[in-house]
Amino acid sequence: QKEVEQNSGPLSVPEGAIASLNCTYSDRVSQSFFWYRQYSGKSPELIMSIYSNGDKEDGRFTAQLNKASQYVSLLIRDSQPSDSATYLCAARDSNYQLIWGAGTKLIIKP
Amino acid sequence: EAGVAQSPRYKIIEKRQSVAFWCNPISGHATLYWYQQILGQGPKLLIQFQNNGVVDDSQLPKDRFSAERLKGVDSTLKIQPAKLEDSAVYLCASSLDQTSGRVSSYNEQFFGPGTRLTVL
């Protein structure tokens, strides 16, 4: 059974701090990984994709991939109240489908 | 560039009734997905199309759900008859070409606004 696991949270972070979201995946063949943000009552919105080991930065967001440990993370610097949402991690499997985690609820406290 | 369009946004029906959802993907996207999302869970893939062919429908309850993408562009998902447990958000997504061997932005999926279905 291919799985993507995330801590459901909620993860509470003070405004201006770094929020760290983590995800592990079971399919060693996976090569593409995605982070989506989902506000309550809205659909998922792609915020980061990562394909190679290491870090990928985009504005306040940094995705980190460690294929040896089967671990993906998302760092949000200078967290804002507008970052409060559920963050979904997904891994593309060998059948070209996305395996989704259940999401981590992030709360940024002003 | 226009995003993924879905309609209706909300639907309330009685159990055993039928309902249909429509999706128009981003122009030029070959791969189209229908997902079901229940509160507190990640999206669950119901069916994946590549152009007008079905790539995977292994999790589609075929006794009551059907979907088509006849011309390889827009798609409809139908439920007939609906059950209480079908209450969920139905999401449509598209990507350039999910079956491409490339590990690239071709794999990125973009979602429509979703349809919230309530079955009473």
Side-chain angles (χ1 to χ4, degrees):
Chain A
Q1 180 79 5
K2 299 170 187 174
E3 291 182 333
V4 170
E5 296 192 354
Q6 298 180 255
N7 188 318
S8 61
L11 174 65
S12 186
V13 173
E15 183 176 356
I18 296 175
S20 177
L21 303 161
N22 305 313
C23 167
T24 59
Y25 60 95
S26 64
D27 188 356
R28 286 193 166 274
V29 180
S30 294
Q31 295 189 49
S32 305
F33 304 89
F34 306 89
W35 282 101
Y36 285 79
R37 178 176 61 199
Q38 187 170 27
Y39 292 115
S40 180
K42 301 294 185 182
S43 61
E45 172 192 8
L46 178 66
I47 53 173
M48 289 286 285
S49 56
I50 186 165
Y51 310 108
S52 304
N53 272 331
D55 295 0
K56 178 182 177 182
E57 188 174 317
D58 183 1
R60 296 187 296 113
F61 297 96
T62 299
Q64 299 175 318
L65 174 60
N66 183 325
K67 290 184 180 180
S69 301
Q70 296 179 238
Y71 180 89
V72 191
S73 65
L74 180 71
L75 301 178
I76 306 175
R77 290 182 298 281
D78 187 24
S79 296
Q80 303 296 309
S82 59
D83 295 326
S84 297
T86 296
Y87 288 80
L88 296 164
C89 173
R92 182 179 183 240
D93 73 5
S94 53
N95 294 321
Y96 310 119
Q97 293 172 5
L98 291 190
I99 309 300
W100 293 84
T104 298
K105 184 173 183 177
L106 175 65
I107 298 172
I108 306 300
K109 298 182 299 183
Chain B
E1 178 182 275
V4 177
Q6 284 189 253
S7 66
R9 295 293 309 279
Y10 306 91
K11 192 73 177 179
I12 300 173
I13 60 173
E14 304 260 335
K15 61 182 179 184
R16 291 187 290 273
Q17 286 187 325
S18 63
V19 64
F21 311 126
W22 175 82
C23 172
N24 195 31
I26 294 172
S27 177
H29 279 199
T31 313
L32 184 148
Y33 317 78
W34 284 102
Y35 288 95
Q36 180 192 62
Q37 188 177 28
I38 293 171
L39 190 64
Q41 299 181 18
K44 171 189 170 185
L45 180 67
L46 294 175
I47 189 166
Q48 177 180 340
F49 291 96
Q50 181 70 10
N51 296 310
N52 62 350
V54 175
V55 174
D56 189 324
D57 62 358
S58 58
Q59 297 195 85
L60 187 73
K62 297 181 186 64
D63 57 334
R64 298 184 301 106
F65 287 64
S66 64
E68 60 183 16
R69 193 185 185 198
L70 293 176
K71 296 182 179 179
V73 181
D74 59 345
S75 175
T76 56
L77 174 70
K78 297 179 182 178
I79 308 175
Q80 182 180 10
K83 292 185 175 181
L84 296 176
E85 59 260 36
D86 297 332
S87 293
V89 175
Y90 291 84
L91 297 165
C92 179
S94 69
S95 64
L96 271 168
D97 186 353
Q98 185 70 0
T99 61
S100 163
R102 302 188 206 189
V103 176
S104 70
S105 60
Y106 273 56
N107 312 150
E108 294 175 349
Q109 294 186 23
F110 299 92
F111 285 83
T115 297
R116 183 175 299 276
L117 174 67
T118 302
V119 182
L120 303 175

